[in-house]
Amino acid sequence: MNSLPRTRSVAYLADHAKPALPARLAWSAVLGLTDPAEGDWGRLRSLQFAGLSRLIVPRVLAHALGAMLMVQVLRDSVGAMLAIGWLVLLVMAVIATLLFDRKLCPIDQRRVGLRQIRLQALGSAGLALVWALPIVVFVPWLGKTETGVIWAIMAMQMAGMGFAFAAVPLGAQAFVAILGLAGIGAFMAHGEAIAAAVAACFQVFVAVGAFETARNFLDGKLAEASLLDKGEVVSLLLREFEEGEADWLWQVDATRRVRNVSPRFAFALGEEPDDVEAKPLIQLVAGESWETGFFHSSLHDLAERMKRRESFSNLMVRVTLKGQHRWWELSASPRVDENGAFVGFRGVGSDVTERRESEEQIAYLARFDTLTGLPNRLQLTEALDTAMRRADQFRSRCAFLMIDLDRFKAVNDTLGHLIGDKLLERVAERLGSYVGDAGLCGRLGGDEFGVVLGQGADSETIHAVAQRIIAGLSQPYLVDHHTLYIGASVGSAIGPRDGATVETLMRNADLALYRAKDEGGGTHFCYEPSLHTDAEQRRQLEFALRHALERKEFTLVYQPVVDATSGQVLSFEALARWHSADHGHVSPARFIPVAEDARLIVPIGEWALRTACLEAARWPDPIKIAVNVSGEQLLEAGFADTVVSALAASGLPPHRLEIEVTESVFLRDGTVALETLNRIIALGCGVALDDFGTGYSSLGYLRKIRFSTIKVDRSFVQGAARFNAESLAIVRAVVAMADSLEMSTTAEGVETEEELAMVRQLGCRKIQGYLFGRPMPAAQAYDLVAAKPVGAKARSARGALA
């Protein structure tokens, strides 16, 4: 039920509720002698006095009858004058008490305290003194007979007052006590001890009876007030409920036709109350399905519960009103008449469409990816868990494929996240068509997707699905006038063979994916137990790498770069080598990717830069030093300042330092990389583009930045030496482009005389390779360039190393 009307009802009742009545009736408080803190005794006493006004006439008649008898006795005993005087006094006392009691009315509008109760008791005591006056004052003139008659009249008044004043027991007790004591005294004056004892017993009986009558009277008043309060609460709740914005009351008869249609219920139906009265409830809410007979399951549930005449609470029902689907929450209980016959249902309802839609949206977001609409990691995990339990039950197999997009990061970084998101949507569309009914595909996060293949998945099926995914996702995409090329790598694991739990199977598929990425991407790799060993070795390697700098385990070696014509050493390229205390000599191909993943490449690169500059400062001018820089270093905000610091600390002139970068540095954040490199060029340093032509097209960057050197990859050098047409064309194009842009070209990986002859013929200006020198320690590099002439030294080194 909607909480807003409930809250308003509670607030309304809080504003209008009467104070709570006391839980128990203490005798002293009932009499008006004390005023306990517990309970609302002021309200209770107002209930005590509520009956006084209704007893005025009976009280007057009782006093009048007693007065007539008393006057008759007194006239014969003490004379008419004294009898009439007493009568006048009685009349005045009765009138005074009646007026005081009347002042306390209307009692529902005032609260009675101890003062009013005691004043009323004093009035009753005064009236009692007037009634006791004849038997006390005139006792010398009264005989035993007259005394007995007067006591009988007084006893009648005592009994009447004890009953009539049950509502105000303190006044009744005072009246009875005074008359009883007066009678006892009169009998004792005549020496009638037995009569006095009888009078005393009568007084006690009347006093106790009056008190018990008062207690029972108040118990009844409390019950009556409680029922009245409950009725008011129900009335207020119903009134507030009907005025609420979302809830209504509804009622049907034994034939399930609506009755006593409330305005709110009619408004919820979109009809007038008279138009829906006596119509079947199901017909009103079923819409077109009333004619076709194809009801929503929730309507079937409602009809069955009403047919079985059972109560229901918070039952969600989908209704159709004027062609629109809404959700109602209904609660109701069966009703019976005084004979126990079933007469229908009565209950409450509310429109919870917005809440239901919100819950459905939350449930959707919890299980589906908002960008692609594919199942998310949670749903994939649940599906894999189900597939594994079924495979275990039926002794079959299931599989999990983890997919990572190749080169997606380059698209995201260069064209922006908006294009990247649209590309992911296209990937999701294709992925669903490639998997089909064979399994469930979803997005794990970022550019990672997953596929769950159910029971019966064998190695051939898994490989076929993986190859279909790789081939399909590698086709070009057209996104906002951009033709995009990406690829996909797939790692798979078979359950329960490769893992008995969901977590284990997904982790092993991830290890297989990591291996596929290491193999260059665009391939599928199945999990093998050895992958755990590889992963553990990589973890240990990363741990050792974190301490390699402080342990001084890194060294630099230097490979010469020579003039293509003269063979003169022009520069050296600094290359890092790691000899680990735990792992021995570790190849750069192994530790550099680990350093990049662990973000350790930045401190290692800074150390290499500073060390290379210090060593190059010892060489004669103009021998240069080339230092490789990763994309992580270029994205560091203070990298240009690091270069300045390294030059200043070493004393190396800026023109003798060349920073080597690969094309991949422009793919993460090309703008930042360009700004950093332009700052370095402004210092006077050179910038070389390494491995040109092996990765992404860099022609756009050649326009934006003035490279000092373009290095031709060794694969093209070797291809050209074998007269490969493509390699020859690429090398010629690179040399021609570099010459036109006034840039130098360096041929990498020259190892044979044939390769040397070819690159000279193609026009490369500089050569680097084992033919002229392998990477060498700093001392050997210094020896190579320390003597003059430099060219002769290079040729001698070539002869020694050839």
Side-chain angles (χ1 to χ4, degrees):
M1 189 181 299
N2 191 290
S3 62
L4 178 59
R6 247 198 318 264
T7 304
R8 292 175 55 195
S9 299
V10 172
Y12 188 85
L13 289 173
D15 292 339
H16 295 80
K18 296 181 179 180
L21 292 170
R24 57 185 296 272
L25 299 175
W27 68 269
S28 59
V30 171
L31 291 175
L33 299 177
T34 60
D35 194 7
E38 179 186 359
D40 185 15
W41 286 92
R43 185 182 172 200
L44 175 63
R45 293 184 185 116
S46 70
L47 293 175
Q48 288 180 265
F49 277 78
L52 288 179
S53 61
R54 294 193 297 271
L55 296 175
I56 290 178
V57 174
R59 288 167 60 190
V60 171
L61 292 176
H63 284 299
L65 179 60
M68 289 173 57
L69 295 174
M70 184 68 76
V71 169
Q72 184 67 35
V73 174
L74 292 178
R75 187 187 63 181
D76 297 336
S77 302
V78 298
M81 292 297 295
L82 290 178
I84 293 172
W86 175 83
L87 180 61
V88 172
L89 187 61
L90 178 65
V91 171
M92 292 174 60
V94 170
I95 292 174
T97 55
L98 291 177
L99 289 176
F100 178 79
D101 292 345
R102 189 172 182 181
K103 285 177 63 178
L104 296 177
C105 299
I107 205 64
D108 288 339
Q109 298 180 7
R110 65 178 71 246
R111 300 172 66 79
V112 178
L114 292 178
R115 183 173 178 274
Q116 286 81 5
I117 287 181
R118 291 169 184 173
L119 287 176
Q120 197 280 334
L122 286 175
S124 298
L127 182 61
L129 289 174
V130 174
W131 275 105
L133 188 63
I135 202 171
V136 174
V137 176
F138 302 141
V139 68
W141 295 280
L142 299 176
K144 293 181 180 180
T145 302
E146 288 81 4
T147 301
V149 172
I150 292 175
W151 166 249
I153 296 172
M154 292 169 57
M156 179 185 68
Q157 293 297 323
M158 292 167 61
M161 182 64 76
F163 170 77
F165 270 36
V168 282
L170 184 61
Q173 294 295 331
F175 190 89
V176 170
I178 292 173
L179 291 187
L181 292 175
I184 293 171
F187 286 128
M188 293 297 294
H190 286 287
E192 297 291 338
I194 295 177
V198 171
C201 291
F202 180 78
Q203 178 187 356
V204 172
F205 292 154
V206 172
V208 173
F211 182 81
E212 290 302 322
T213 302
R215 185 188 292 276
N216 294 334
F217 171 82
L218 291 176
D219 284 337
K221 284 295 182 181
L222 285 174
E224 180 183 336
S226 178
L227 290 175
L228 180 62
D229 287 348
K230 291 179 179 179
E232 291 179 357
V233 168
V234 172
S235 177
L236 287 171
L237 284 173
L238 291 176
R239 184 190 315 161
E240 181 68 12
F241 193 86
E242 279 296 300
E243 294 174 357
E245 296 182 359
D247 300 346
W248 62 81
L249 299 174
W250 62 278
Q251 180 179 333
V252 296
D253 58 19
T255 61
R256 286 172 272 177
R257 295 177 180 271
V258 294
R259 300 293 182 182
N260 302 322
V261 179
S262 66
R264 286 296 308 159
F265 183 37
F267 178 79
L269 291 168
E271 304 285 352
E272 293 296 328
D274 294 339
D275 296 336
V276 298
E277 184 72 26
K279 287 187 177 181
L281 175 64
I282 302 299
Q283 179 183 356
L284 292 173
V285 299
E288 296 179 355
S289 60
W290 177 258
E291 302 295 337
T292 63
F294 297 104
F295 298 108
H296 190 266
S297 59
S298 61
L299 288 177
H300 276 294
D301 191 15
L302 173 63
E304 283 298 316
R305 290 172 183 264
M306 295 176 70
K307 182 179 179 180
R308 293 194 298 266
R309 300 178 181 179
E310 63 183 29
S311 299
F312 51 89
S313 178
N314 302 326
L315 180 64
M316 300 296 294
V317 179
R318 196 193 78 172
V319 301
T320 304
L321 306 173
K322 300 185 183 301
Q324 293 186 345
H325 297 308
R326 308 286 297 178
W327 282 96
W328 285 2
E329 187 178 73
L330 300 178
S331 300
S333 298
R335 299 168 52 239
V336 295
D337 59 16
E338 60 275 7
N339 299 320
F342 174 72
V343 295
F345 278 86
R346 177 182 292 162
V348 296
S350 59
D351 191 318
V352 294
T353 304
E354 288 74 16
R355 189 184 78 189
R356 174 80 178 197
E357 291 176 349
S358 176
E359 291 173 351
E360 290 178 349
Q361 179 68 12
I362 292 173
Y364 176 85
L365 294 176
R367 298 177 60 81
F368 288 89
D369 178 59
T370 55
L371 176 63
T372 63
L374 293 176
N376 61 7
R377 179 182 289 271
L378 172 63
Q379 190 172 169
L380 281 175
T381 302
E382 292 175 350
L384 183 57
D385 180 66
T386 302
M388 292 188 70
R389 282 190 283 105
R390 289 179 178 174
D392 183 65
Q393 179 181 359
F394 297 104
R395 297 185 179 278
S396 61
R397 291 181 174 183
C398 64
F400 183 71
L401 283 68
M402 188 171 287
I403 305 159
D404 186 83
L405 301 182
D406 301 332
R407 300 183 297 278
F408 172 78
K409 189 171 182 57
V411 174
N412 216 26
D413 292 340
T414 54
L415 298 179
H417 292 284
L418 181 61
I419 299 296
D421 288 347
K422 291 183 178 181
L423 177 58
L424 288 176
E425 293 175 1
R426 304 288 195 281
V427 169
E429 294 172 0
R430 292 188 184 182
L431 189 60
S433 64
Y434 301 146
V435 176
D437 297 332
L440 177 71
C441 63
R443 184 185 179 202
L444 297 172
D447 61 343
E448 285 190 342
F449 295 83
V451 175
V452 176
L453 298 180
Q455 56 179 325
D458 53 23
S459 299
E460 293 183 1
T461 302
I462 296 169
H463 184 70
V465 172
Q467 292 301 321
R468 191 160 61 243
I469 291 172
I470 293 171
L473 297 185
S474 299
Q475 297 300 312
Y477 300 82
L478 183 62
V479 180
D480 287 357
H481 308 293
H482 297 280
T483 301
L484 305 176
Y485 293 87
I486 60 172
S489 300
V490 180
S492 64
I494 299 176
R497 184 193 70 184
D498 297 334
T501 65
V502 171
E503 294 76 13
T504 303
L505 200 65
M506 294 182 73
R507 183 176 68 248
N508 290 343
D510 191 27
L511 288 175
L513 173 63
Y514 195 86
R515 177 64 178 273
K517 298 290 285 187
D518 277 351
E519 295 294 325
T523 186
H524 165 232
F525 202 88
C526 295
Y527 169 76
E528 295 176 355
S530 61
L531 294 179
H532 276 292
T533 304
D534 295 342
E536 179 60 21
Q537 289 177 352
R538 184 183 180 90
R539 187 193 66 80
Q540 294 177 359
L541 198 66
E542 178 183 332
F543 181 80
L545 195 59
R546 293 185 179 277
H547 303 282
L549 275 179
E550 60 187 60
R551 294 174 180 173
K552 298 182 179 180
E553 295 177 348
F554 285 110
T555 58
L556 288 182
V557 294
Y558 304 88
Q559 185 173 25
V561 178
V562 303
D563 184 273
T565 302
S566 64
Q568 179 181 354
V569 175
L570 302 177
S571 62
F572 287 89
E573 179 180 1
L575 302 170
R577 295 292 184 265
W578 179 29
H579 187 81
S580 170
D582 301 322
H583 304 279
H585 177 73
V586 183
S587 167
R590 285 188 62 197
F591 77 77
I592 288 180
V594 175
E596 289 179 340
D597 288 345
R599 293 191 59 81
L600 296 172
I601 197 67
V602 173
I604 294 174
E606 181 177 347
W607 168 86
L609 175 64
R610 294 183 180 277
T611 303
C613 288
L614 285 171
E615 184 61 31
R618 301 173 57 231
W619 302 337
D621 196 2
I623 303 300
K624 297 182 178 181
I625 182 67
V627 181
N628 290 283
V629 173
S630 71
E632 294 287 342
Q633 289 177 269
L634 282 181
L635 291 179
E636 289 290 315
F639 179 70
D641 297 331
T642 301
V643 173
V644 172
S645 175
L647 292 173
S650 63
L652 182 70
H655 71 274
R656 292 180 58 195
L657 174 63
E658 191 171 56
I659 300 295
E660 286 195 11
V661 297
T662 62
E663 300 171 60
S664 61
V665 301
F666 302 106
L667 297 178
R668 287 193 56 185
D669 195 331
T671 303
V672 174
L674 284 173
E675 291 177 354
T676 303
L677 291 176
N678 282 323
R679 288 186 60 188
I680 293 173
I681 292 173
L683 295 174
C685 301
V687 176
L689 184 59
D690 198 6
D691 297 336
F692 181 78
T694 60
Y696 310 97
S697 174
S698 301
L699 297 178
Y701 297 109
L702 293 176
R703 292 188 301 105
K704 298 177 181 178
I705 188 170
R706 187 175 182 82
F707 292 100
S708 57
T709 303
I710 297 178
K711 302 185 76 171
V712 181
D713 187 71
R714 61 175 296 182
S715 61
F716 299 125
V717 172
Q718 293 173 346
R722 294 193 300 267
F723 298 96
N724 179 275
E726 276 188 2
S727 298
L728 287 169
I730 289 174
V731 175
R732 286 194 184 99
V734 171
V735 171
M737 180 179 60
D739 288 342
S740 63
L741 295 174
E742 299 182 354
M743 300 176 185
S744 179
T745 52
T746 299
E748 293 185 297
V750 176
E751 299 179 356
T752 65
E753 293 289 347
E754 291 78 9
E755 292 172 354
L756 175 61
M758 179 57 69
V759 295
R760 281 176 172 172
Q761 179 183 341
L762 292 174
C764 290
R765 300 183 185 180
K766 293 183 289 186
I767 298 173
Q768 179 180 356
Y770 287 176
L771 184 62
F772 288 91
R774 293 176 179 271
M776 59 189 71
Q780 190 175 345
Y782 176 79
D783 292 339
L784 186 61
V785 298
K788 297 292 183 179
V790 176
K793 201 69 173 179
R795 284 189 293 273
S796 65
R798 171 189 163 192
L801 295 171

